[in-house]
Amino acid sequence: SQQGEEDPQALSIQEGENATMNCSYKTSINNLQWYRQNSGRGLVHLILIRSNEREKHSGRLRVTLDTSKKSSSLLITASRAADTASYFCAPRLDRGSTLGRLYFGRGTQLTVWP
Amino acid sequence: KAGVTQTPRYLIKTRGQQVTLSCSPISGHRSVSWYQQTPGQGLQFLFEYFSETQRNKGNFPGRFSGRQFSNSRSEMNVSTLELGDSALYLCASSLVGLAGANTGELFFGEGSRLTVL
């Protein structure tokens, strides 16, 4: 399978806590992307990490990538109720010939309680 | 800059009918891709278009088709609707840089929720 697989499937935390989601994939990648989806809405791009990068930050988000283990993690620090959403990782398998094709997993449903 | 616009947002059809969904990409984005999202199968890639040409196709029957116009707007069509076609259909656009390279990220619309009765 070429898609990413997120773990856990569901995560429930309190506001202010950190949330960590993991992603595993099976093939060589050019980059890996994380997206968020609020219930019934479109996906929003969060962050992209290239295969030659190990860590990337964006605001309260921190993404790591370990290509030797074919895994990535997304850390959301100081979670807020507004972070409640599904989070998807999407490995991009090559340098552009597939243009808009990403292989999404089933996602992690994050619930942040006030 | 306006985002990706999908119309209609919601629609209800009956089995056997056909439906056409529309997508207007972000200005300057020439790549448009379509995804189907269902609770059972998750996000599944339908097809993608660039310069009015279908560049890639997912594993869907021929009832699912699409096209892209010269202004990069895209439509997808589903004929002979089945109950299992009920889903959220998402369109995404991306910026294609020099030499056809893709910058990587997809910009999604809010989707068209299709219910087949």
Side-chain angles (χ1 to χ4, degrees):
Chain A
S1 172
Q2 297 168 320
Q3 66 191 48
E5 295 183 13
E6 297 88 351
D7 174 71
Q9 290 185 7
L11 181 60
S12 186
I13 60 174
Q14 295 289 132
E15 266 191 331
E17 294 181 337
N18 295 340
T20 299
M21 288 159 269
N22 302 299
C23 170
S24 61
Y25 57 92
K26 296 183 179 178
T27 60
S28 296
I29 62 171
N30 175 270
N31 66 63
L32 186 140
Q33 303 174 37
W34 286 89
Y35 288 80
R36 183 189 75 225
Q37 183 181 35
N38 291 86
S39 181
R41 309 286 296 274
L43 279 73
V44 175
H45 181 268
L46 293 176
I47 196 165
L48 179 155
I49 186 165
R50 302 189 190 282
S51 59
N52 60 354
E53 297 176 311
R54 291 297 169 259
E55 186 172 312
K56 202 163 183 179
H57 296 255
S58 177
R60 294 184 295 112
L61 305 180
R62 172 179 167 249
V63 168
T64 62
L65 179 65
D66 187 335
T67 54
S68 66
K69 295 181 179 178
K70 291 185 168 54
S71 66
S72 174
S73 67
L74 170 67
L75 168 68
I76 304 174
T77 59
S79 295
R80 306 165 181 167
D83 295 327
T84 295
S86 291
Y87 292 80
F88 297 88
C89 72
R92 178 173 289 283
L93 305 183
D94 58 52
R95 296 182 185 278
S97 64
T98 58
L99 292 176
R101 183 170 196 168
L102 290 177
Y103 294 85
F104 293 97
R106 289 306 191 102
T108 292
Q109 172 60 52
L110 172 66
T111 302
V112 183
W113 299 99
Chain B
K1 188 183 264 191
V4 177
T5 304
Q6 290 190 246
T7 57
R9 287 291 313 279
Y10 303 91
L11 65 166
I12 299 174
K13 294 285 188 179
T14 57
R15 280 180 299 177
Q17 288 187 310
Q18 74 165 14
V19 66
T20 299
L21 309 178
S22 179
C23 173
S24 294
I26 292 173
S27 178
H29 287 197
R30 295 186 292 160
S31 171
V32 174
S33 52
W34 289 88
Y35 289 80
Q36 181 198 64
Q37 186 177 32
T38 61
Q41 299 297 320
L43 278 158
Q44 292 191 293
F45 172 79
L46 281 158
F47 27 64
E48 63 180 321
Y49 290 87
F50 174 69
S51 291
E52 302 177 63
T53 301
Q54 187 180 90
R55 296 300 180 98
N56 213 334
K57 190 177 191 304
N59 188 28
F60 279 82
R63 300 185 297 107
F64 292 80
S65 63
R67 58 178 175 169
Q68 186 180 35
F69 302 95
S70 59
N71 61 357
S72 295
R73 192 176 70 84
S74 177
E75 289 180 348
M76 67 163 284
N77 183 276
V78 187
S79 62
T80 318
L81 284 166
E82 301 177 358
L83 295 178
D85 297 332
S86 294
L88 180 66
Y89 290 87
L90 293 165
C91 166
S93 72
S94 60
L95 181 65
V96 179
L98 294 175
N102 190 293
T103 57
E105 63 183 289
L106 299 184
F107 296 82
F108 283 85
E110 293 287 15
S112 293
R113 182 164 295 282
L114 171 64
T115 301
V116 182
L117 303 176

